[in-house]
Amino acid sequence: MDGLLYLEDGTVFRGRGFGYPRTSAGELVFNTSMTGYQEILTDPSYAGQIINFTYPLIGNYGITADDNESSRIHAFGMAAKNICFTPSNYRSVMTIDQWLFDMKVPGIFEIDTRALTRRIRSHGTVKCVISNQGLSPSEARDFCDQAVLRNDHMKRAGVRQRVRIGGTGRRVAVLDFGVKQNILRSLEKRNCDVYLFPYGSSADELMSVNPDGLFLTNGPGDPQEAAEAAAEVKKLMGRVPMFGICMGHQVLALAAGGKTFKMAYGHRGGNHGVYDKETGRSCITSQNHGYVVSAQSVILSGMEITHFNLNDGTVEGMRHNTWPIFSVQYHPEASPGPNDSDHLFDRFMDLMDRFSPNLRPAAAGGINTAKGGGHHA
């Protein structure tokens, strides 16, 4: 199949198509991970996006039965330099070509992914069209002009109704914006009694299970489109310990009264350096986000910045100065990526043990950690 990638400024990249014969429009982004293409493509945070993989060989270890981060591919398409059609891996159950075909996702390869990445880094993320149906540039241009990109994918990326996931330990209400499975596995590993709630759940519904803590997940789209969720989370601040990751971090910032803004091309990959100012140590992190929290806005809203990105200085983590609330912009659950920050789940366990209204008597009017060790949150 002939493959074509058309950028909204008229730039055209030609290559060969694979996967499902289809034409899609989305936001073009790049990911710098060397492995983990299966986890990346099934990460719900990529809904609405077309991924350009910077690593030159994709598909060389095939597709396994156990490495999905959700039940399907959420990305709208993918581009690569080379695609391997004969993988070598005893765990492989199919090729990436077969997988994309089964998932009805288009792919294109044999394009200059380095030039494409440099284009994004110079001009920012752009709307684009991916096609492996033999479209001409003029047909792709018309398709691009007519396509309307949505920014509220977090409202549909998660569960549709409440789901309970095992465990007999700390009870955690999880507000699902498009959760990765390894986040849930990280909570299950700590024997948490997890209740997964869909987008649109009210504060009363989240508290109906009498949780020891509230977890806000990752997810796709513009956090400002999740205004309803931020309003409900605001009602719970000070009532229950909270931990947010990625979209959850941004929603927490909005709930506190802060602001978010769109980055030029975001952070996507498994090799991003982050500095933790509370420990004085740095770690390598897995990231996938196109929006970031405004530092000054959350500082003025009672939050303290705890983590910074070592490349551009953007906010990577924060905590509340009064309540047991903290969040990070990156992915401590990794998958793919390093496990440097897995301990943050243990920090959440510690917060629940110390400040859950169910596990410790709460002060009148809510939890107050100003004199109770909250600065370690």
Side-chain angles (χ1 to χ4, degrees):
M1 297 182 286
D2 290 334
L4 178 143
L5 200 62
Y6 177 89
L7 279 55
E8 63 180 333
D9 65 357
T11 304
V12 175
F13 287 81
R14 295 181 181 274
R16 295 175 60 190
F18 72 106
Y20 192 79
R22 187 171 187 170
T23 300
S24 297
E27 182 184 49
L28 180 64
V29 301
F30 67 87
N31 186 292
T32 59
S33 295
M34 297 176 66
T35 62
Y37 50 80
Q38 183 174 344
E39 294 94 323
I40 291 165
L41 287 165
T42 54
D43 179 350
S45 297
Y46 281 105
Q49 297 178 335
I50 295 166
I51 306 171
N52 172 43
F53 286 93
T54 63
Y55 191 69
L57 179 58
I58 302 296
N60 53 313
Y61 54 86
I63 301 300
T64 74
D66 302 317
D67 291 342
N68 286 342
E69 282 300 310
S70 68
S71 61
R72 62 184 176 88
I73 296 177
H74 288 265
F76 281 14
M78 65 160 289
K81 175 64 176 176
N82 293 301
I83 291 294
C84 177
F85 295 90
T86 55
S88 177
N89 176 7
Y90 75 96
R91 298 173 64 233
S92 177
V93 295
M94 68 178 73
T95 68
I96 192 170
D97 180 39
Q98 294 170 319
W99 186 50
L100 261 64
F101 184 88
D102 292 345
M103 294 284 175
K104 294 182 168 52
V105 176
I108 180 175
F109 71 110
E110 289 191 0
I111 66 169
D112 189 343
T113 53
R114 183 176 182 180
L116 185 55
T117 301
R118 289 170 63 89
R119 169 64 180 74
I120 298 171
R121 285 179 57 88
S122 299
H123 303 284
T125 53
V126 294
K127 182 167 77 169
C128 79
V129 170
I130 184 172
S131 178
N132 51 19
Q133 294 183 299
L135 254 65
S136 68
S138 61
E139 291 173 321
R141 181 192 62 224
D142 292 342
F143 191 96
C144 188
D145 290 343
Q146 296 170 17
V148 177
L149 304 189
R150 304 189 63 160
N151 289 315
D152 61 350
H153 293 286
M154 82 292 290
K155 298 179 180 180
R156 295 171 298 280
V159 294
R160 297 291 187 269
Q161 59 186 7
R162 192 177 83 182
V163 177
R164 185 179 183 184
I165 305 173
T168 58
R170 308 166 186 89
R171 187 173 299 133
V172 180
V174 177
L175 185 52
D176 185 6
F177 300 113
V179 69
K180 289 173 62 181
Q181 288 302 305
N182 206 39
I183 288 177
L184 299 178
R185 286 191 291 265
S186 296
L187 295 173
E188 289 181 80
K189 184 171 71 174
R190 291 162 175 84
N191 197 33
C192 290
D193 186 10
V194 175
Y195 287 81
L196 194 59
F197 285 85
Y199 185 94
S201 297
S202 68
D204 288 341
E205 288 171 327
L206 291 167
M207 292 300 290
S208 68
V209 297
N210 198 25
D212 298 309
L214 174 63
F215 189 97
L216 307 177
T217 78
N218 64 295
D222 182 348
Q224 295 187 56
E225 294 288 339
E228 311 96 332
E232 296 304 312
V233 170
K234 182 177 181 179
K235 298 175 184 177
L236 300 180
M237 296 180 74
R239 294 178 59 187
V240 64
M242 296 184 186
F243 179 23
I245 286 177
C246 203
M247 174 64 73
H249 160 82
Q250 296 162 356
V251 169
L252 267 176
L254 296 175
K259 298 179 181 179
T260 60
F261 61 90
K262 188 170 185 177
M263 307 174 75
Y265 51 82
H267 299 152
R268 298 177 179 88
N271 53 358
H272 291 264
V274 168
Y275 177 72
D276 182 343
K277 79 170 192 179
E278 294 192 324
T279 65
R281 301 182 65 180
S282 300
C283 58
I284 303 301
T285 67
S286 175
Q287 301 205 11
N288 171 25
H289 62 98
Y291 294 82
V292 71
V293 169
S294 164
Q296 189 63 24
S297 72
V298 290
I299 291 172
L300 294 174
S301 302
M303 307 292 283
E304 180 176 340
I305 306 304
T306 56
H307 297 74
F308 298 93
N309 188 282
L310 288 171
N311 293 322
D312 59 18
T314 52
V315 176
E316 292 284 3
M318 61 185 186
R319 64 168 175 81
H320 201 279
N321 283 322
T322 303
W323 300 317
I325 297 172
F326 77 108
S327 61
V328 291
Q329 180 64 78
Y330 54 92
H331 288 264
E333 83 285 355
S335 195
N339 297 314
D340 294 26
S341 303
D342 182 69
H343 64 89
L344 292 178
F345 289 96
D346 296 321
R347 181 181 296 186
F348 184 42
M349 302 301 112
D350 179 58
L351 274 191
M352 289 189 286
D353 289 344
R354 290 189 290 143
F355 301 115
S356 167
N358 305 321
L359 303 176
R360 168 181 168 171
I367 301 170
N368 188 309
T369 67
K371 295 182 180 180
H375 288 284
H376 298 291

